[in-house]
């Protein structure tokens, strides 16, 4: 089966021949119960050659170390990273990884047994591929907050395989490559190791655990594309995500999404100023896109079925819309605060 593409790319993975050796990096902080569930699914992967690296980010207890050493032994490698921040933890995993390809996922997912095979096979098929992302579906829809998040689009990016090529920009993506949120999410992504290292890894002033609140994954996507590498999205690489359950969690996520979006854009423009003219040319359409993304939608009018990704017909309450927009205003300042903290020695990482 061939993939639907924008600018060519890799087809669906079939079999295990020629698959690259992969390092799977899981960053975690004080969630040993969830981590154990994720590690069980990772160790059950059908991929023939991989390692699992757990990065314990700014731990307060020894719970994660104890879990890894007691239950998983030599099957999982434990690394402690004292500086807080998801991008810093991912850069630590990048430094420790031995694989040709590095896959990243979160401690609150359960991976399908073929996840790693499907996510990494495109690298063997396409030498210009720098990054691959996969499908993220909800593990359960038990609370109103979980249903609302998924009806707003959740983490899924649709069900059509797509290759993004900077040498052949998609005609239906006028903001390319700055709408990085359409390419995938950090809970299901993989990079060719030498490509990710060549762009300096993730910006340590982005991501959860920093004042920027997010955007580390989006930063990585754009930096790889800006270097001329392709990015492939495959819905066949599936993980199940345990969405947070409460309204307060959803409010935190809405604010964080907004902040992460503008924080990553700020990071890209500071670290790659050559992209500024292209960004300014797309700015008017970008502002219109941001307004549509955060628009209030009637919660009494129906149309909120989970899975209707990118239809923008689902309910989205005013409170969450305001929080997203407030987050967008915060993002650049949060990123600059995080950069200052790094310069003052409060964190570390590559960029």
């Amino acid at each position: 089966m061939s993939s639907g593409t924008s600018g060519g790319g890799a087809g669906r993975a079939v079999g295990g021949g020629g698959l690259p050796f992969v390092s799977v990096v899981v960053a975690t902080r004080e969630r040993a119960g969830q981590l154990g569930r994720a590690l069980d699914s990772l160790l059950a992967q059908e991929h023939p050659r991989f390692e699992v690296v757990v990065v314990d980010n700014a731990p307060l207890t020894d719970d994660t170390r104890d879990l890894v050493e007691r239950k998983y032994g030599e099957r999982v490698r434990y690394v402690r990273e004292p500086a807080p921040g998801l991008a810093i933890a991912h850069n630590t995993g990048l430094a420790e990884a031995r694989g040709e390809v590095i896959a990243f996922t979160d401690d609150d997912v359960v991976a399908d047994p073929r996840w790693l095979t499907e996510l990494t096979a495109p690298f063997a098929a396409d030498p210009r591929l720098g990054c691959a992302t996969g499908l993220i579906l909800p593990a359960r829809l038990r609370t109103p907050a979980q249903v609302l998040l998924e009806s707003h689009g959740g983490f899924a990016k649709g069900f059509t395989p797509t290759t993004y090529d900077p040498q052949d920009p998609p005609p239906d993506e006028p903001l390319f490559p700055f709408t990085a949120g359409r390419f995938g999410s950090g809970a299901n992504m993989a990079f060719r190791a030498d490509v990710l290292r060549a762009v300096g890894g993730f910006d340590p002033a982005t991501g959860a655990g920093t004042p920027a609140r997010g955007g580390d994954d989006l930063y990585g996507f754009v930096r790889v594309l800006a270097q001329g590498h392709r990015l492939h999205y495959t819905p066949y690489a599936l993980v199940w995500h345990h969405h947070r359950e409460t309204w307060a969690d959803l409010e935190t996520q809405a604010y964080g999404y907004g902040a992460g979006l503008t924080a990553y854009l700020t990071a890209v423009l500071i670290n790659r100023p050559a992209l500024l003219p292209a960004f300014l040319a797309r700015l008017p359409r970008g502002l219109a896109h941001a307004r549509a993304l955060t628009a209030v939608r009637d919660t009494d009018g129906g149309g909120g079925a989970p899975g209707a990704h990118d239809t923008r017909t689902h309910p989205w309450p005013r409170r969450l819309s305001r929080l997203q927009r407030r987050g967008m205003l915060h993002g650049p300042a949060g990123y600059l605060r995080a950069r200052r903290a790094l310069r003052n020695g409060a964190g570390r990482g590559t960029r």
Side-chain angles (χ1 to χ4, degrees):
M1 180 181 295
S2 61
S3 64
T5 64
S6 172
R12 181 179 175 180
V14 286
L19 292 175
F21 174 55
V22 185
S23 298
V24 182
V25 173
V26 185
T28 188
R29 188 172 192 264
E30 302 301 335
R31 300 205 293 189
Q34 293 187 78
L35 176 63
R37 180 179 59 201
L39 291 178
D40 288 342
S41 71
L42 293 176
L43 292 173
Q45 292 297 300
E46 297 177 3
H47 193 287
R49 298 186 300 141
F50 68 96
E51 65 170 359
V52 178
V53 180
V54 168
V55 181
D56 195 3
N57 189 214
L60 300 174
T61 70
D62 291 328
D63 290 354
T64 299
R65 179 193 289 272
D66 292 344
L67 170 72
V68 172
E69 292 180 350
R70 170 178 45 82
K71 185 174 180 182
Y72 300 102
E74 295 181 356
R75 294 182 297 164
V76 174
R77 194 144 50 93
Y78 173 90
V79 180
R80 184 178 185 274
E81 170 50 65
L86 182 58
I88 292 174
H90 280 169
N91 285 338
T92 298
L94 174 62
E96 293 285 337
R98 302 164 181 159
E100 305 161 55
V101 170
I102 304 177
F104 296 89
T105 191
D106 291 346
D107 61 8
D108 54 2
V109 308
V110 173
D112 179 83
R114 286 192 57 81
W115 167 68
L116 200 55
T117 294
E118 298 286 357
L119 185 64
T120 60
F123 291 95
D126 182 359
R128 280 194 53 216
L129 194 70
C131 179
T133 61
L135 178 63
I136 304 172
L137 293 179
R140 61 168 65 98
L141 294 173
R142 186 170 61 186
T143 71
Q146 290 174 326
V147 172
L148 186 57
L149 174 63
E150 192 62 25
S151 67
H152 187 58
F155 297 97
K157 308 304 174 186
F159 302 95
T160 302
T162 306
T163 298
Y164 297 93
D165 188 342
Q167 295 184 8
D168 185 15
D172 59 343
E173 291 277 357
L175 301 178
F176 180 86
F178 297 107
T179 48
R182 298 181 67 89
F183 305 152
S185 297
N188 193 350
M189 63 182 182
F191 296 83
R192 203 178 297 275
D194 58 357
V195 169
L196 186 56
R197 291 185 177 117
V199 300
F202 302 95
D203 188 318
T206 60
T210 72
R213 305 290 292 269
D216 53 306
D217 49 353
L218 309 184
Y219 174 88
F221 301 154
V222 172
R223 285 303 304 269
V224 166
L225 286 164
Q227 290 297 109
H229 303 282
R230 292 178 176 136
L231 183 152
H232 182 68
Y233 169 75
T234 172
Y236 306 115
L238 171 64
V239 300
W240 303 92
H241 182 264
H242 286 263
H243 294 351
R244 295 179 183 179
E245 297 184 351
T246 69
W247 181 260
D249 290 333
L250 188 55
E251 289 183 337
T252 299
Q253 283 185 301
Y255 185 87
Y257 289 163
L261 175 64
T262 52
Y264 108 79
L265 288 171
T266 305
V268 166
L269 296 176
I270 287 177
N271 295 322
R272 273 298 299 271
L275 292 175
L276 182 59
F279 174 78
L280 292 176
R282 293 163 174 77
L283 185 58
R285 284 181 173 177
L287 293 173
H289 175 73
R291 284 194 296 270
L293 188 69
T294 62
V296 177
R297 285 172 285 273
D298 184 6
T299 57
D300 299 320
H309 305 294
D310 291 325
T311 60
R312 304 300 171 204
T313 60
H314 44 264
W316 195 238
R318 186 172 303 277
R319 167 71 174 165
L320 297 180
S321 173
R322 286 200 302 263
L323 284 169
Q324 275 188 293
R325 292 178 176 180
R326 282 172 53 192
M328 288 180 178
L329 293 175
H330 165 85
Y335 173 73
L336 295 175
R337 280 174 50 204
R339 279 177 65 95
R340 284 196 299 271
L342 286 167
R343 284 199 301 267
N344 293 334
R348 63 183 181 86
T350 58
R351 182 172 66 226

